Amino acid sequence: SKPLLEVKDLKIYFPIKKGIRQKVASHVKAVDGVSFTINEGETLGLVGESGCGKSTTGRGVAQLLKTTEGKVLFQGESLQELSVKEMRSRRKDMQLVFQDPYASLNPRLTVEQILAEPLKAHGVERNKRRKLMEDIMEVCGLNKNYLHRYAHEFSGGQRQRIGIARALILKPKLIIADEPVAALDVSIQAQILNLLKDLQEGFGLTYLFISHDLSVVQHLCNRVAVMYLGRIVEIGEADKIFEKRLHPYTESLIDAIPISNPRKRKERIILQGDVPSPVDPPKGCAFVGRCPKVMAHCHTERPELMEHSDGHHVACHLYSLENKSVEVSSCSES
Ligand code: SF4
Ligand code: MG
């Protein structure tokens, strides 16, 4: 299958202004050179702790905030080069589902008003709207009698179904889902994840699925990209990421997944400290302050993302050629 979305060396910097003249003193490098591709019908999970730049990446892809550098190609077309009007028409094919269904749906609107809004915005005639609304409610597991009820009358899970229905009503190709189950009770999470999976099959959807929780992406994603401090540190097939994770950060995230049998836990990495500031990131590897496997040159040299094995890329000196040659030379000396 062909790529639906290609993100090339995307950078999103936010200026920090200082002083009376509001000169730009420095930048928050929220996204600092991110590249990935998502093929049609595929799900890419974008994972990492909060503050790693996942949501900013998602919003940058959707052109909801200004990108500083790099390219976002959607169906081969560079989105940054489109006019506002052209982008508005592309938005039909690219929809977002947000984390908090309480915040993202206006509680004073009825379900009908919520679902009609995108239809109106994209010029769907009034007499066709009702049928589209009822159809999308049905596939999202909502009773069509709910159309006249207000968003505030619903539970979190039902609200997220309304949010998903709103995102899907224009039959988009790409859904950017930013922590779509993080605000929901655990018992409801699986229902919403199953719904997203069914909808993907039914509509041939492509997902960029953003989550801080690896257990959530595990069963939904074909590929996983792990972000740390504005960069991708590991990307590959989901199976490989879970079985043969390479980056110590990925390892710590996987170790944080609760498992039923605690005896399976041997040398578990427990993350200490916080993500460093993107204003003044470490010079070498960004993970240096928290990494249990840190080496001397990790402090000075930034590891680049390199292919380790088929389609599995990692940015860590443990796998870089220089480090391998260090190992070889130290072996031959002894
Ligand atoms: Fe740890 Fe060094 Fe690898 Fe960074 S480059 S993750 S500090 S071993
Ligand atoms: Mg976020």
Side-chain angles (χ1 to χ4, degrees), residues 26-269:
S26 53
H27 286 90
V28 178
K29 297 181 175 180
V31 178
D32 197 16
V34 161
S35 303
F36 58 82
T37 295
I38 314 182
N39 290 330
E40 269 174 26
E42 193 182 47
T43 300
L44 176 73
L46 191 58
V47 303
E49 290 160 287
S50 76
C52 283
K54 310 182 298 291
S55 298
T56 310
T57 301
R59 298 176 74 82
V61 165
Q63 305 297 301
L64 292 177
L65 46 83
K66 202 174 165 340
T67 59
T68 310
E69 251 182 75
K71 269 197 176 352
V72 178
L73 301 174
F74 183 62
Q75 305 186 96
E77 188 176 51
S78 171
L79 295 184
Q80 289 112 318
E81 282 156 41
L82 298 178
S83 67
V84 173
K85 199 178 162 209
E86 287 168 325
M87 187 56 219
R88 200 178 295 141
S89 78
R90 304 310 186 274
R91 191 144 286 142
K92 192 173 176 292
D93 290 327
M94 183 191 265
Q95 290 286 314
L96 283 99
V97 173
F98 296 97
Q99 166 169 357
D100 188 350
Y102 291 91
S104 64
L105 299 180
N106 185 339
R108 292 197 191 89
L109 296 183
T110 63
V111 175
E112 182 168 15
Q113 288 169 318
I114 289 167
L115 295 180
E117 191 219 279
L119 296 174
K120 283 183 195 165
H122 289 275
V124 177
E125 291 162 43
R126 180 182 285 271
N127 60 357
K128 290 186 181 148
R129 288 182 207 153
R130 184 63 181 237
K131 169 101 172 68
L132 289 169
M133 288 189 227
E134 290 183 356
D135 288 351
I136 206 68
M137 288 181 76
E138 190 181 343
V139 294
C140 291
L142 293 161
N143 188 320
K144 65 184 175 194
N145 297 328
Y146 291 170
L147 271 176
H148 300 294
R149 286 171 59 179
Y150 288 90
H152 71 80
E153 296 176 53
F154 295 95
S155 66
Q158 280 174 319
R159 278 192 201 207
Q160 195 55 298
R161 286 176 194 269
I162 298 166
I164 292 167
R166 178 181 59 181
L168 279 178
I169 198 159
L170 293 165
K171 303 269 155 39
K173 294 183 172 135
L174 177 70
I175 294 282
I176 299 170
D178 189 358
E179 303 272 11
V181 299
L184 305 176
D185 290 347
V186 177
S187 59
I188 307 296
Q189 288 188 355
Q191 291 176 19
I192 297 295
L193 293 174
N194 286 335
L195 173 65
L196 289 169
K197 205 163 188 171
D198 291 346
L199 292 170
Q200 181 169 42
E201 281 163 23
F203 293 98
L205 294 167
T206 304
Y207 288 146
L208 173 59
F209 192 96
I210 297 167
S211 179
H212 71 284
D213 184 348
L214 253 78
S215 63
V216 163
V217 307
Q218 195 163 12
H219 303 291
L220 202 77
C221 298
N222 307 95
R223 286 188 303 126
V224 173
V226 181
M227 260 186 105
Y228 193 76
L229 204 68
R231 291 169 163 247
I232 290 177
V233 297
E234 183 164 3
I235 183 167
E237 299 285 334
D239 296 350
K240 281 197 189 148
I241 298 286
F242 284 97
E243 281 157 30
K244 297 196 179 81
R245 67 278 198 151
L246 300 169
H247 200 283
Y249 181 58
T250 313
E251 197 166 349
S252 68
L253 292 179
I254 291 172
D255 283 355
I257 298 174
I259 51 166
S260 45
N261 181 0
R263 275 182 301 176
K264 275 193 193 160
R265 284 271 156 81
K266 285 182 210 121
E267 297 153 41
R268 169 177 175 191
I269 298 182

Side-chain angles (χ1 to χ4, degrees), residues 305-330:
L305 196 63
M306 293 195 308
E307 187 157 26
H308 177 265
S309 53
D310 203 19
H312 191 171
H313 294 70
V314 65
C316 169
H317 289 310
L318 289 169
Y319 309 96
S320 64
L321 288 171
E322 306 92 81
N323 192 56
K324 275 179 195 147
S325 66
V326 170
E327 276 171 30
V328 171
S329 61
S330 60

Side-chain angles (χ1 to χ4, degrees), residues 247-249 285 287-288 291 293-295 298 303 315-318:
H247 200 283
Y249 181 58
C285 174
F287 196 51
V288 83
C291 181
K293 295 175 183 170
V294 58
M295 301 169 285
C298 300
C316 169
H317 289 310
L318 289 169

